[in-house]
Amino acid sequence: MQSVIVNNLSKSYGKKKEIKAVKEISFEVSKGELFGIIGPDGAGKTSLFRMLTTLLLPDAGNAAVDGSDVVKNYKDIRKKVGYMPGRFSLYQDLSVEENLNFFATIFNTTVQHNYDLIKDIYVQIEPFKTRKAGKLSGGMKQKLALSCALIHRPVVLFLDEPTTGVDAVSRKEFWEMLKHLKQQGITILVSTPYMDEAGLCDRIGLMQQGKILSVGTPAEITGAFKETILGVKSNNMYQLLKDLNANDEVEDAYSFGEYHHTVMKPNFNKETLQQYLEQKGNKELVIQNTQPTVEDSFMQLMKQ
């Protein structure tokens, strides 16, 4: 069964609709799946999520969440989805406890009734339940926002860049929470600009400039990358990148951690490449084969 079905969904902004934020997007998310929308700022992720949570009307196409149309049945959808926007949007002058009770009341429920769902998350901020939400740290705000999005026990949870601006420890804790929620049967759609988080999802959609470039499991996405990638480094990384991109055997080269990932053309010769780089004055050269990542796949798809 599909929890989310998106069919040629589009959204534009501006007086003449000249800014195409979402361009004929189509994909499906199965019930109980953790699905990631991966893309940089400005890709259209927030506009997509706002349409799926009935906060924006699409210009074209259609979509359904848990069997309800996002336009015709928007009231039904609002009762059964949870939405955590990228920007902290709870009431900052209310305490942790007051925010949670407020959102529970809106959905005609109580914190006690659904406490089992948020317990593992809420216990981490419960010692600060009387503190104003605006005075919480980034990680605590994140946990409070997630608790409020879950308090009515939604069937589908939308999380818009929930780990942006959060420290590495809080990011890891957050994904552990999502795994726990997935085990309880909640369908989760999460957007993120962090490519390393793609591997934590069941399936992902790579998004850029309003379009979905590819959809599949992380293994399927990287498995579609057929070219050879070399990891190359030297004592002068800036000059090295220029030299790599100027080489006829190199399809593309870009920085990737401490190495430059170098996509090679067919029938290349590694020894010839090393000789070329040495002749260009690069020293302490390291050239090694490396496996493609989701980021490599994204870089390649952007250029097609």
Side-chain angles (χ1 to χ4, degrees):
M1 180 180 175
Q2 304 302 317
S3 282
V4 178
I5 300 174
V6 180
N7 183 34
N8 292 323
L9 207 62
S10 298
K11 183 65 183 178
S12 299
Y13 300 104
K15 291 182 179 180
K16 298 181 180 179
K17 301 291 185 181
E18 68 275 11
I19 303 172
K20 310 291 185 183
V22 177
K23 305 173 185 175
E24 298 181 351
I25 279 180
S26 298
F27 64 91
E28 296 183 356
V29 180
S30 301
K31 184 176 176 60
E33 189 173 28
L34 175 52
F35 188 90
I37 298 290
I38 317 294
D41 293 343
K45 304 186 298 296
T46 296
S47 292
L48 172 63
F49 274 28
R50 287 175 69 83
M51 285 188 285
L52 295 178
T53 53
T54 77
L55 299 176
L56 272 180
L57 283 171
D59 294 328
N62 58 76
V65 177
D66 194 46
S68 300
D69 187 274
V70 296
V71 176
K72 298 174 183 176
N73 310 118
Y74 69 93
K75 289 185 178 180
D76 294 333
I77 289 178
R78 291 178 182 182
K79 293 176 183 176
K80 55 188 178 182
V81 303
Y83 176 51
M84 181 174 161
R87 183 177 179 181
F88 184 71
S89 56
L90 301 183
Y91 293 98
Q92 306 214 28
D93 56 342
L94 294 183
S95 69
V96 168
E97 190 174 40
E98 288 168 340
N99 265 292
L100 200 55
N101 283 322
F102 174 76
F103 282 95
T105 302
I106 286 178
F107 289 102
N108 292 317
T109 187
T110 64
V111 174
Q112 292 73 24
H113 184 69
N114 292 322
Y115 187 71
D116 62 305
L117 184 61
I118 66 166
K119 180 181 177 181
D120 292 341
I121 306 166
Y122 187 64
V123 292
Q124 300 177 51
I125 56 174
E126 195 167 17
F128 312 97
K129 63 183 180 181
T130 60
R131 183 177 295 182
K132 294 284 191 288
K135 299 295 184 181
L136 297 174
S137 67
M140 288 184 180
K141 284 181 177 178
Q142 177 197 60
K143 294 179 178 70
L144 175 58
L146 181 58
S147 296
C148 290
L150 289 167
I151 198 58
H152 60 297
R153 199 173 288 273
V155 294
V156 184
L157 181 63
F158 293 88
L159 307 171
D160 190 7
E161 297 195 2
T163 57
T164 299
V166 177
D167 64 86
V169 174
S170 294
R171 278 178 64 189
K172 184 177 179 181
E173 288 177 348
F174 192 84
W175 280 96
E176 289 297 324
M177 287 184 251
L178 295 190
K179 289 180 184 177
H180 177 71
L181 291 172
K182 179 180 177 295
Q183 291 170 357
Q184 300 190 48
I186 297 175
T187 303
I188 303 171
L189 279 79
V190 56
S191 70
T192 177
Y194 300 128
M195 297 289 168
D196 61 320
E197 293 183 343
L200 303 173
C201 302
D202 296 325
R203 287 192 308 136
I204 57 174
L206 300 180
M207 189 171 184
Q208 169 70 340
Q209 295 182 343
K211 294 182 179 181
I212 294 288
L213 305 177
S214 182
V215 174
T217 66
E220 288 170 346
I221 298 288
T222 55
F225 196 108
K226 300 304 182 184
E227 290 80 359
T228 298
I229 299 180
L230 300 178
V232 186
K233 69 176 181 178
S234 76
N235 65 329
N236 187 338
M237 295 296 281
Y238 175 72
Q239 184 60 43
L240 174 64
L241 186 59
K242 291 173 63 178
D243 294 337
L244 286 169
N245 277 308
N247 186 273
D248 291 337
E249 291 188 318
V250 173
E251 184 72 39
D252 194 16
Y254 43 86
S255 296
F256 195 100
E258 62 177 316
Y259 288 86
H260 292 320
H261 272 199
T262 308
V263 183
M264 305 303 298
K265 293 179 180 178
N267 303 316
F268 76 95
N269 186 290
K270 189 186 292 187
E271 288 73 22
T272 302
L273 177 65
Q274 180 160 349
Q275 291 172 7
Y276 162 81
L277 292 174
E278 288 173 346
Q279 288 171 3
K280 289 290 185 177
N282 293 282
K283 299 179 180 179
E284 301 174 28
L285 271 172
V286 176
I287 302 176
Q288 61 186 30
N289 285 69
T290 188
Q291 293 299 311
T293 66
V294 170
E295 187 168 347
D296 292 312
S297 300
F298 186 82
M299 295 286 286
Q300 185 183 61
L301 287 166
M302 279 199 314
K303 298 188 178 200
Q304 291 180 355

